[in-house]
Amino acid sequence: MRRLFSTLTLTLLLSGVVANAADDRPNIVFIFTDDHAPHAIGAYDGWLKSVNPTPQIDKLARDGMLFVNSFCTNSICGPSRAVIQTGKHSHKNGFMNNGNSFDWDQQTFPKLLQDVGYQTAIYGKSHLKGTPQGFDSWAVLPGQGLYYNPDMITENGTIMIEGHATDVVTDMAVEFLEEKRDAKKPFMLMVQHKAPHRNWMPALRHLDLYDNIDIPEPATLFDDYLDNAPPARHQELEIDRHMHLNFDLFVDLTADFEDVPGRFDRSAWRNMQRMSPEQLKAWGDAYGPKDEAFHAANPSGKDLVRWKYQRYAKNYLRCLKGVDESVETIRNTLDELGLDENTIVIYSSDQGFYIGDHGWYDKRWMYEESMKMPFIVSWPGVTKPGSKNIKLVQNLDYAQTFLDIAGAVQPEDMQGASVVPLLKGENPEDWRKSVYYHYYEYPSVHMVPRHNGIRTNRYKLMHFYEFDEWEFYDLKSDPDESHNLYNNDGYKALIKRMKNQLKGLEEHYEDDSDMAVKPKAWQDKVRPGTAG
Ligand code: SGN
Ligand code: CA
């Protein structure tokens, strides 16, 4: 009934019959972060839950619907965002890896929302390069952006704003709600935080958080990858071998670059140069004593990995504390303005992440921790409070969902599906039974080879097609994906079926981008410190 009424109002408005009628279509606030793994959200019941990392996001889940089986199509930043803008897989929207530039001239959901009378805005990390199109108001971080005193590219040029990026972006969102909103129109506001992206630099007020506790360790912190295909042994995203004590973990981090051997002009080091004397002092006061304790203990081997993990996980979770507070601030602002009842609030992040799982950080793989995305939607009066949905959903579905909410037409060439029926508690029988995944950025930082694959509720088939290496997992008996069953005779028939289904998905999404690649043999070297 509500939908019918909205569509009717829209039609009347567009035809100019009711020039000043109130438009009751819901507003959308899309809060989107960078690299927030679902298992670092209390409501997702992961092994970090005991730390209570996200009380406000948990509250959002209690007020709305949490999607348990929510996945990205390509676990990396720019591409995930491009999929959301277009409702199309990477090979269709042209943004396959972070090195690409987004073609803003193409069809995007914000443009289509504008066409049906929505006011649109985006603040924070876009990572799509170029000038954003489809937004009535915008300000974006250049590239990855910086945590402290970041530059923001605005409609009136680039400005530097003092403060922590999470707070800067939150303030812009609040300013939009309080001052920039066109009260005659519904709005769609994208609040896009840099946190908790590498290098994990928390706000000053969170630097001491978790100081007096040990963060639980993941069961797979010391994974040896011996029963996976070779790519898992040859990546470059291990806490042990690839996480840098100074660059990533700020041990002896100093603004005096002369003293830092082998420094490169990125993230934390670059950011130190822009910190005010007060910020630098607070930073030194917080990390100085921790560094001293580290040097005194001088850990090595597994103890050093454990120490690095603690420092990393704490900084990651400290960054998330800022995000969680941002969710609270934005929801409070909606309440204060009387907008809460007709505003849908969504929390999501561009992909999952490894927080020591398998001994790793970063993302990219089709393995669970990085393929999963948080997706929580609170739609007052529509989503059942505290509900959990287990249908397979993807970021591919967001564009059509937003258009459906607005009562707009969903273009035929979009490749997802609106989740509005799921939000209403319906159980569509023809909902997808599998999802398609394709990652492209190789060779590149962290060295995860290109791969595509299919995931059903229970099984996953992955193809590292540059090397013609396959993996197959039974997620029920092996949720950590430690035992590749691809060569297990007992699964021969099932794997054959799933290969056909994978082919079917490639055809359905018109993806032949793996075909041009000629497989080369994998040189399976012995991994340092392991038997093979
Ligand atoms: C940077 C990071 C990488 C990260 C990519 C992509 N290095 O290069 O660790 O994988 O971004 O991240 S850093 O030292 O510069 O932080 S993404 O989320 O933008 O795709
Ligand atoms: Ca990311």
Side-chain angles (χ1 to χ4, degrees):
M1 195 56 214
R2 184 190 187 104
R3 166 85 312 102
L4 275 178
F5 181 65
S6 296
T7 312
L8 178 67
T9 312
L10 170 68
T11 314
L12 294 174
L13 271 170
L14 290 181
S15 61
V17 174
V18 187
N20 291 316
D23 187 336
D24 73 338
R25 287 176 295 167
N27 308 305
I28 301 166
V29 173
F30 180 71
I31 306 174
F32 193 67
T33 52
D34 198 349
D35 294 355
H36 191 178
H39 59 290
I41 294 178
Y44 270 91
D45 278 336
W47 49 265
L48 283 163
K49 192 183 169 146
S50 61
V51 181
N52 190 23
T54 54
Q56 293 300 325
I57 299 173
D58 301 350
K59 184 166 181 288
L60 185 72
R62 282 199 301 279
D63 292 342
M65 180 176 278
L66 177 146
F67 287 83
V68 180
N69 290 309
S70 153
F71 305 97
C72 59
T73 64
N74 179 0
S75 181
I76 188 153
C77 196
S80 174
R81 292 152 199 266
V83 168
I84 290 172
Q85 284 287 328
T86 60
K88 293 177 186 171
H89 275 282
S90 305
H91 64 282
K92 287 283 183 188
N93 67 46
F95 201 112
M96 291 143 97
N97 60 59
N98 277 339
N100 294 136
S101 292
F102 187 65
D103 172 11
W104 280 104
D105 287 337
Q106 67 186 302
Q107 169 183 278
T108 63
F109 86 83
K111 291 184 194 172
L112 296 171
L113 286 183
Q114 282 182 320
D115 288 348
V116 296
Y118 268 64
Q119 183 188 13
T120 60
I122 185 170
Y123 304 109
K125 184 168 173 183
S126 137
H127 214 197
L128 291 174
K129 302 179 193 160
T131 304
Q133 292 183 31
F135 297 99
D136 298 304
S137 175
W138 60 269
V140 292
L141 293 158
Q144 297 282 9
L146 291 176
Y147 274 118
Y148 277 89
N149 312 332
D151 281 339
M152 296 285 292
I153 307 170
T154 74
E155 291 143 283
N156 305 314
T158 300
I159 48 171
M160 198 257 258
I161 305 181
E162 174 121 7
H164 189 272
T166 305
D167 300 331
V168 167
V169 170
T170 306
D171 288 349
M172 287 184 157
V174 169
E175 188 192 8
F176 170 83
L177 292 170
E178 291 180 343
E179 291 166 28
K180 295 193 175 161
R181 213 165 40 84
D182 176 347
K184 291 193 289 300
K185 289 180 169 184
F187 65 84
M188 190 282 302
L189 166 64
M190 302 177 87
V191 188
Q192 309 222 148
H193 292 299
K194 168 184 174 63
H197 191 272
R198 190 186 183 198
N199 312 29
W200 307 275
M201 296 178 84
L204 295 180
R205 64 184 179 282
H206 298 135
L207 289 179
D208 292 332
L209 198 64
Y210 307 121
D211 264 0
N212 299 320
I213 61 164
D214 282 334
I215 308 293
E217 288 175 3
T220 54
L221 183 60
F222 295 103
D223 198 343
D224 55 16
Y225 327 109
L226 290 182
D227 205 6
N228 299 104
R233 290 186 284 283
H234 298 294
Q235 37 60 38
E236 295 183 0
L237 36 85
E238 286 169 36
I239 290 178
D240 182 6
R241 295 191 298 150
H242 309 109
M243 185 177 268
H244 195 286
L245 274 175
N246 180 256
F247 175 59
D248 284 308
L249 300 175
F250 319 139
V251 175
D252 304 328
L253 187 66
T254 164
D256 180 4
F257 292 131
E258 301 305 311
D259 292 334
V260 181
R263 73 174 172 89
F264 34 110
D265 188 21
R266 289 194 302 173
S267 298
W269 289 330
R270 182 150 54 96
N271 212 159
M272 292 293 282
Q273 290 174 305
R274 312 171 53 111
M275 285 162 83
S276 67
E278 295 75 33
Q279 289 169 334
L280 282 171
K281 180 170 181 319
W283 194 264
D285 288 350
Y287 286 103
K290 294 171 194 161
D291 292 352
E292 270 175 40
F294 168 72
H295 291 305
N298 195 21
S300 60
K302 282 193 171 180
D303 287 343
L304 178 58
V305 173
R306 293 205 149 99
W307 187 91
K308 287 169 89 177
Y309 165 73
Q310 288 295 324
R311 175 87 128 197
Y312 157 49
K314 285 181 184 180
N315 282 338
Y316 180 89
L317 295 175
R318 287 168 183 147
C319 287
L320 279 178
K321 193 61 171 179
V323 165
D324 201 57
E325 290 174 357
S326 169
V327 172
E328 180 180 30
T329 304
I330 289 166
R331 294 191 79 197
N332 283 347
T333 307
L334 292 171
D335 283 357
E336 282 156 21
L337 296 171
L339 292 167
D340 51 317
E341 277 182 16
N342 199 28
T343 300
I344 301 171
V345 179
I346 300 172
Y347 185 82
S348 178
S349 189
D350 56 353
Q351 3 76 202
F353 211 68
Y354 297 91
I355 312 163
D357 319 75
H358 305 287
W360 291 338
Y361 61 103
D362 211 65
K363 54 264 178 175
R364 300 163 190 269
W365 302 100
M366 195 187 165
Y367 300 130
E368 292 292 271
E369 295 86 350
S370 45
M371 186 190 184
K372 283 196 168 166
M373 291 170 75
F375 189 47
I376 299 172
V377 183
S378 168
W379 185 350
V382 176
T383 45
K384 184 166 168 235
S387 52
K388 291 197 174 177
N389 194 296
I390 58 164
K391 289 270 191 283
L392 302 173
V393 298
Q394 287 188 291
N395 51 347
L396 187 67
D397 302 325
Y398 296 4
Q400 280 162 267
T401 302
F402 296 145
L403 294 172
D404 198 5
I405 288 168
V409 172
Q410 299 170 42
E412 291 276 312
D413 61 351
M414 286 193 174
Q415 298 183 307
S418 163
V419 305
V420 167
L422 308 185
L423 296 173
K424 288 178 175 166
E426 292 166 16
N427 185 14
E429 283 199 358
D430 57 352
W431 194 261
R432 66 168 75 87
K433 304 281 187 292
S434 61
V435 291
Y436 180 62
Y437 182 90
H438 198 156
Y439 169 81
Y440 299 84
E441 194 175 295
Y442 183 83
S444 174
V445 58
H446 303 303
M447 296 301 279
V448 173
R450 290 168 69 150
H451 56 291
N452 67 355
I454 173 174
R455 187 199 190 280
T456 65
N457 265 325
R458 176 157 177 189
Y459 299 104
K460 188 182 289 182
L461 179 72
M462 303 162 60
H463 189 204
F464 296 90
Y465 52 82
E466 287 166 293
F467 303 99
D468 201 21
E469 290 283 351
W470 291 85
E471 292 193 327
F472 179 78
Y473 295 101
D474 179 346
L475 299 168
K476 195 168 170 201
S477 61
D478 180 23
D480 290 332
E481 299 160 296
S482 297
H483 306 292
N484 178 16
L485 299 172
Y486 185 72
N487 293 314
N488 182 316
D489 281 348
Y491 290 91
K492 240 186 179 152
L494 179 58
I495 290 172
K496 195 172 170 208
R497 269 208 308 282
M498 277 191 70
K499 275 191 173 178
N500 280 333
Q501 287 168 11
L502 175 58
K503 219 186 235 158
L505 287 179
E506 287 182 282
E507 279 164 22
H508 175 72
Y509 292 119
E510 299 176 327
D511 183 11
D512 59 4
S513 55
D514 59 329
M515 303 295 177
V517 178
K518 215 167 158 265
K520 40 191 180 288
W522 186 273
Q523 302 296 317
D524 197 0
K525 297 161 273 182
V526 174
R527 196 174 152 265
T530 72

PDB file of all heavy atoms in Angstrom, residues 33-55:
ATOM      1  N   THR A  33      31.888   1.794   4.734  1.00  0.00           N
ATOM      2  CA  THR A  33      33.267   1.932   5.205  1.00  0.00           C
ATOM      3  C   THR A  33      34.214   1.149   4.310  1.00  0.00           C
ATOM      4  O   THR A  33      33.797   0.482   3.357  1.00  0.00           O
ATOM      5  CB  THR A  33      33.375   1.464   6.666  1.00  0.00           C
ATOM      6  OG1 THR A  33      32.800   0.162   6.767  1.00  0.00           O
ATOM      7  CG2 THR A  33      32.654   2.421   7.586  1.00  0.00           C
ATOM      8  N   ASP A  34      35.485   1.211   4.653  1.00  0.00           N
ATOM      9  CA  ASP A  34      36.512   0.627   3.797  1.00  0.00           C
ATOM     10  C   ASP A  34      37.219  -0.501   4.527  1.00  0.00           C
ATOM     11  O   ASP A  34      37.942  -0.252   5.497  1.00  0.00           O
ATOM     12  CB  ASP A  34      37.517   1.737   3.438  1.00  0.00           C
ATOM     13  CG  ASP A  34      38.362   1.375   2.245  1.00  0.00           C
ATOM     14  OD1 ASP A  34      38.320   0.202   1.838  1.00  0.00           O
ATOM     15  OD2 ASP A  34      39.053   2.257   1.722  1.00  0.00           O
ATOM     16  N   ASP A  35      36.965  -1.727   4.120  1.00  0.00           N
ATOM     17  CA  ASP A  35      37.672  -2.890   4.691  1.00  0.00           C
ATOM     18  C   ASP A  35      37.114  -3.363   6.039  1.00  0.00           C
ATOM     19  O   ASP A  35      37.846  -3.924   6.850  1.00  0.00           O
ATOM     20  CB  ASP A  35      39.189  -2.621   4.882  1.00  0.00           C
ATOM     21  CG  ASP A  35      39.941  -2.442   3.568  1.00  0.00           C
ATOM     22  OD1 ASP A  35      39.334  -2.604   2.496  1.00  0.00           O
ATOM     23  OD2 ASP A  35      41.154  -2.149   3.628  1.00  0.00           O
ATOM     24  N   HIS A  36      35.853  -3.139   6.292  1.00  0.00           N
ATOM     25  CA  HIS A  36      35.274  -3.610   7.559  1.00  0.00           C
ATOM     26  C   HIS A  36      34.711  -5.027   7.402  1.00  0.00           C
ATOM     27  O   HIS A  36      33.660  -5.231   6.811  1.00  0.00           O
ATOM     28  CB  HIS A  36      34.161  -2.664   8.021  1.00  0.00           C
ATOM     29  CG  HIS A  36      33.711  -2.944   9.424  1.00  0.00           C
ATOM     30  ND1 HIS A  36      32.754  -2.185  10.052  1.00  0.00           N
ATOM     31  CD2 HIS A  36      34.083  -3.890  10.325  1.00  0.00           C
ATOM     32  CE1 HIS A  36      32.560  -2.655  11.278  1.00  0.00           C
ATOM     33  NE2 HIS A  36      33.348  -3.692  11.463  1.00  0.00           N
ATOM     34  N   ALA A  37      35.431  -5.985   7.956  1.00  0.00           N
ATOM     35  CA  ALA A  37      34.991  -7.379   7.879  1.00  0.00           C
ATOM     36  C   ALA A  37      33.768  -7.606   8.761  1.00  0.00           C
ATOM     37  O   ALA A  37      33.725  -7.114   9.886  1.00  0.00           O
ATOM     38  CB  ALA A  37      36.112  -8.289   8.354  1.00  0.00           C
ATOM     39  N   PRO A  38      32.776  -8.363   8.269  1.00  0.00           N
ATOM     40  CA  PRO A  38      31.611  -8.647   9.117  1.00  0.00           C
ATOM     41  C   PRO A  38      31.993  -9.250  10.461  1.00  0.00           C
ATOM     42  O   PRO A  38      31.355  -8.960  11.474  1.00  0.00           O
ATOM     43  CB  PRO A  38      30.797  -9.649   8.292  1.00  0.00           C
ATOM     44  CG  PRO A  38      31.214  -9.432   6.884  1.00  0.00           C
ATOM     45  CD  PRO A  38      32.637  -8.937   6.930  1.00  0.00           C
ATOM     46  N   HIS A  39      33.058 -10.071  10.488  1.00  0.00           N
ATOM     47  CA  HIS A  39      33.365 -10.693  11.780  1.00  0.00           C
ATOM     48  C   HIS A  39      33.953  -9.697  12.781  1.00  0.00           C
ATOM     49  O   HIS A  39      34.228 -10.070  13.926  1.00  0.00           O
ATOM     50  CB  HIS A  39      34.213 -11.957  11.625  1.00  0.00           C
ATOM     51  CG  HIS A  39      35.538 -11.804  10.941  1.00  0.00           C
ATOM     52  ND1 HIS A  39      35.661 -11.543   9.604  1.00  0.00           N
ATOM     53  CD2 HIS A  39      36.792 -11.906  11.415  1.00  0.00           C
ATOM     54  CE1 HIS A  39      36.949 -11.492   9.287  1.00  0.00           C
ATOM     55  NE2 HIS A  39      37.646 -11.699  10.357  1.00  0.00           N
ATOM     56  N   ALA A  40      34.132  -8.447  12.373  1.00  0.00           N
ATOM     57  CA  ALA A  40      34.485  -7.394  13.331  1.00  0.00           C
ATOM     58  C   ALA A  40      33.253  -6.550  13.663  1.00  0.00           C
ATOM     59  O   ALA A  40      33.361  -5.367  13.972  1.00  0.00           O
ATOM     60  CB  ALA A  40      35.608  -6.534  12.790  1.00  0.00           C
ATOM     61  N   ILE A  41      32.091  -7.153  13.558  1.00  0.00           N
ATOM     62  CA  ILE A  41      30.835  -6.516  13.977  1.00  0.00           C
ATOM     63  C   ILE A  41      30.183  -7.451  14.984  1.00  0.00           C
ATOM     64  O   ILE A  41      29.998  -8.639  14.693  1.00  0.00           O
ATOM     65  CB  ILE A  41      29.893  -6.298  12.766  1.00  0.00           C
ATOM     66  CG1 ILE A  41      30.505  -5.271  11.811  1.00  0.00           C
ATOM     67  CG2 ILE A  41      28.492  -5.868  13.214  1.00  0.00           C
ATOM     68  CD1 ILE A  41      29.682  -5.000  10.560  1.00  0.00           C
ATOM     69  N   GLY A  42      29.875  -6.922  16.160  1.00  0.00           N
ATOM     70  CA  GLY A  42      29.305  -7.774  17.200  1.00  0.00           C
ATOM     71  C   GLY A  42      28.103  -8.558  16.707  1.00  0.00           C
ATOM     72  O   GLY A  42      27.979  -9.757  16.954  1.00  0.00           O
ATOM     73  N   ALA A  43      27.224  -7.896  15.971  1.00  0.00           N
ATOM     74  CA  ALA A  43      25.973  -8.522  15.535  1.00  0.00           C
ATOM     75  C   ALA A  43      26.210  -9.685  14.575  1.00  0.00           C
ATOM     76  O   ALA A  43      25.320 -10.509  14.371  1.00  0.00           O
ATOM     77  CB  ALA A  43      25.071  -7.477  14.878  1.00  0.00           C
ATOM     78  N   TYR A  44      27.386  -9.771  13.971  1.00  0.00           N
ATOM     79  CA  TYR A  44      27.677 -10.893  13.067  1.00  0.00           C
ATOM     80  C   TYR A  44      28.220 -12.120  13.802  1.00  0.00           C
ATOM     81  O   TYR A  44      28.591 -13.109  13.160  1.00  0.00           O
ATOM     82  CB  TYR A  44      28.645 -10.457  11.961  1.00  0.00           C
ATOM     83  CG  TYR A  44      27.900  -9.917  10.747  1.00  0.00           C
ATOM     84  CD1 TYR A  44      27.616  -8.574  10.634  1.00  0.00           C
ATOM     85  CD2 TYR A  44      27.462 -10.771   9.740  1.00  0.00           C
ATOM     86  CE1 TYR A  44      26.914  -8.072   9.547  1.00  0.00           C
ATOM     87  CE2 TYR A  44      26.757 -10.284   8.653  1.00  0.00           C
ATOM     88  CZ  TYR A  44      26.488  -8.939   8.550  1.00  0.00           C
ATOM     89  OH  TYR A  44      25.788  -8.469   7.481  1.00  0.00           O
ATOM     90  N   ASP A  45      28.321 -12.010  15.131  1.00  0.00           N
ATOM     91  CA  ASP A  45      28.680 -13.197  15.913  1.00  0.00           C
ATOM     92  C   ASP A  45      30.035 -13.792  15.582  1.00  0.00           C
ATOM     93  O   ASP A  45      30.213 -15.009  15.641  1.00  0.00           O
ATOM     94  CB  ASP A  45      27.631 -14.319  15.684  1.00  0.00           C
ATOM     95  CG  ASP A  45      26.424 -14.111  16.565  1.00  0.00           C
ATOM     96  OD1 ASP A  45      26.574 -13.454  17.594  1.00  0.00           O
ATOM     97  OD2 ASP A  45      25.342 -14.610  16.197  1.00  0.00           O
ATOM     98  N   GLY A  46      31.002 -12.972  15.226  1.00  0.00           N
ATOM     99  CA  GLY A  46      32.330 -13.525  14.912  1.00  0.00           C
ATOM    100  C   GLY A  46      33.162 -13.722  16.169  1.00  0.00           C
ATOM    101  O   GLY A  46      32.699 -13.477  17.291  1.00  0.00           O
ATOM    102  N   TRP A  47      34.399 -14.152  16.000  1.00  0.00           N
ATOM    103  CA  TRP A  47      35.239 -14.428  17.165  1.00  0.00           C
ATOM    104  C   TRP A  47      35.744 -13.153  17.846  1.00  0.00           C
ATOM    105  O   TRP A  47      36.370 -13.212  18.898  1.00  0.00           O
ATOM    106  CB  TRP A  47      36.400 -15.365  16.793  1.00  0.00           C
ATOM    107  CG  TRP A  47      37.152 -14.951  15.558  1.00  0.00           C
ATOM    108  CD1 TRP A  47      36.935 -15.392  14.287  1.00  0.00           C
ATOM    109  CD2 TRP A  47      38.214 -14.001  15.472  1.00  0.00           C
ATOM    110  NE1 TRP A  47      37.790 -14.776  13.412  1.00  0.00           N
ATOM    111  CE2 TRP A  47      38.595 -13.925  14.118  1.00  0.00           C
ATOM    112  CE3 TRP A  47      38.887 -13.212  16.401  1.00  0.00           C
ATOM    113  CZ2 TRP A  47      39.601 -13.088  13.667  1.00  0.00           C
ATOM    114  CZ3 TRP A  47      39.893 -12.377  15.955  1.00  0.00           C
ATOM    115  CH2 TRP A  47      40.245 -12.321  14.600  1.00  0.00           C
ATOM    116  N   LEU A  48      35.461 -11.980  17.261  1.00  0.00           N
ATOM    117  CA  LEU A  48      35.850 -10.733  17.915  1.00  0.00           C
ATOM    118  C   LEU A  48      34.724 -10.153  18.773  1.00  0.00           C
ATOM    119  O   LEU A  48      34.866  -9.089  19.361  1.00  0.00           O
ATOM    120  CB  LEU A  48      36.273  -9.707  16.856  1.00  0.00           C
ATOM    121  CG  LEU A  48      37.661  -9.933  16.266  1.00  0.00           C
ATOM    122  CD1 LEU A  48      37.831  -9.173  14.973  1.00  0.00           C
ATOM    123  CD2 LEU A  48      38.739  -9.528  17.273  1.00  0.00           C
ATOM    124  N   LYS A  49      33.617 -10.876  18.817  1.00  0.00           N
ATOM    125  CA  LYS A  49      32.426 -10.373  19.486  1.00  0.00           C
ATOM    126  C   LYS A  49      32.673 -10.010  20.955  1.00  0.00           C
ATOM    127  O   LYS A  49      32.131  -9.026  21.463  1.00  0.00           O
ATOM    128  CB  LYS A  49      31.337 -11.455  19.393  1.00  0.00           C
ATOM    129  CG  LYS A  49      29.989 -10.961  19.799  1.00  0.00           C
ATOM    130  CD  LYS A  49      28.987 -12.076  19.751  1.00  0.00           C
ATOM    131  CE  LYS A  49      27.725 -11.576  20.432  1.00  0.00           C
ATOM    132  NZ  LYS A  49      26.532 -12.078  19.864  1.00  0.00           N
ATOM    133  N   SER A  50      33.529 -10.797  21.620  1.00  0.00           N
ATOM    134  CA  SER A  50      33.731 -10.582  23.061  1.00  0.00           C
ATOM    135  C   SER A  50      34.317  -9.192  23.353  1.00  0.00           C
ATOM    136  O   SER A  50      34.211  -8.685  24.461  1.00  0.00           O
ATOM    137  CB  SER A  50      34.653 -11.657  23.630  1.00  0.00           C
ATOM    138  OG  SER A  50      35.909 -11.588  22.991  1.00  0.00           O
ATOM    139  N   VAL A  51      34.918  -8.579  22.347  1.00  0.00           N
ATOM    140  CA  VAL A  51      35.510  -7.251  22.537  1.00  0.00           C
ATOM    141  C   VAL A  51      34.437  -6.157  22.454  1.00  0.00           C
ATOM    142  O   VAL A  51      34.686  -5.010  22.766  1.00  0.00           O
ATOM    143  CB  VAL A  51      36.607  -7.038  21.451  1.00  0.00           C
ATOM    144  CG1 VAL A  51      37.281  -5.699  21.591  1.00  0.00           C
ATOM    145  CG2 VAL A  51      37.624  -8.155  21.487  1.00  0.00           C
ATOM    146  N   ASN A  52      33.249  -6.522  22.018  1.00  0.00           N
ATOM    147  CA  ASN A  52      32.149  -5.574  21.839  1.00  0.00           C
ATOM    148  C   ASN A  52      32.583  -4.406  20.938  1.00  0.00           C
ATOM    149  O   ASN A  52      32.526  -3.236  21.337  1.00  0.00           O
ATOM    150  CB  ASN A  52      31.680  -5.062  23.213  1.00  0.00           C
ATOM    151  CG  ASN A  52      30.390  -4.264  23.114  1.00  0.00           C
ATOM    152  OD1 ASN A  52      29.633  -4.429  22.161  1.00  0.00           O
ATOM    153  ND2 ASN A  52      30.154  -3.386  24.070  1.00  0.00           N
ATOM    154  N   PRO A  53      33.018  -4.737  19.697  1.00  0.00           N
ATOM    155  CA  PRO A  53      33.661  -3.697  18.875  1.00  0.00           C
ATOM    156  C   PRO A  53      32.709  -2.642  18.315  1.00  0.00           C
ATOM    157  O   PRO A  53      33.137  -1.534  18.036  1.00  0.00           O
ATOM    158  CB  PRO A  53      34.297  -4.497  17.728  1.00  0.00           C
ATOM    159  CG  PRO A  53      33.478  -5.746  17.632  1.00  0.00           C
ATOM    160  CD  PRO A  53      32.991  -6.039  19.016  1.00  0.00           C
ATOM    161  N   THR A  54      31.416  -2.968  18.174  1.00  0.00           N
ATOM    162  CA  THR A  54      30.534  -2.069  17.421  1.00  0.00           C
ATOM    163  C   THR A  54      29.134  -1.945  18.034  1.00  0.00           C
ATOM    164  O   THR A  54      28.138  -2.305  17.393  1.00  0.00           O
ATOM    165  CB  THR A  54      30.371  -2.603  15.973  1.00  0.00           C
ATOM    166  OG1 THR A  54      29.926  -3.984  16.065  1.00  0.00           O
ATOM    167  CG2 THR A  54      31.636  -2.508  15.167  1.00  0.00           C
ATOM    168  N   PRO A  55      29.018  -1.439  19.254  1.00  0.00           N
ATOM    169  CA  PRO A  55      27.680  -1.404  19.881  1.00  0.00           C
ATOM    170  C   PRO A  55      26.632  -0.663  19.056  1.00  0.00           C
ATOM    171  O   PRO A  55      25.458  -1.060  19.057  1.00  0.00           O
ATOM    172  CB  PRO A  55      27.937  -0.694  21.214  1.00  0.00           C
ATOM    173  CG  PRO A  55      29.328  -0.162  21.164  1.00  0.00           C
ATOM    174  CD  PRO A  55      30.076  -0.934  20.142  1.00  0.00           C
TER     175      PRO A  55
END
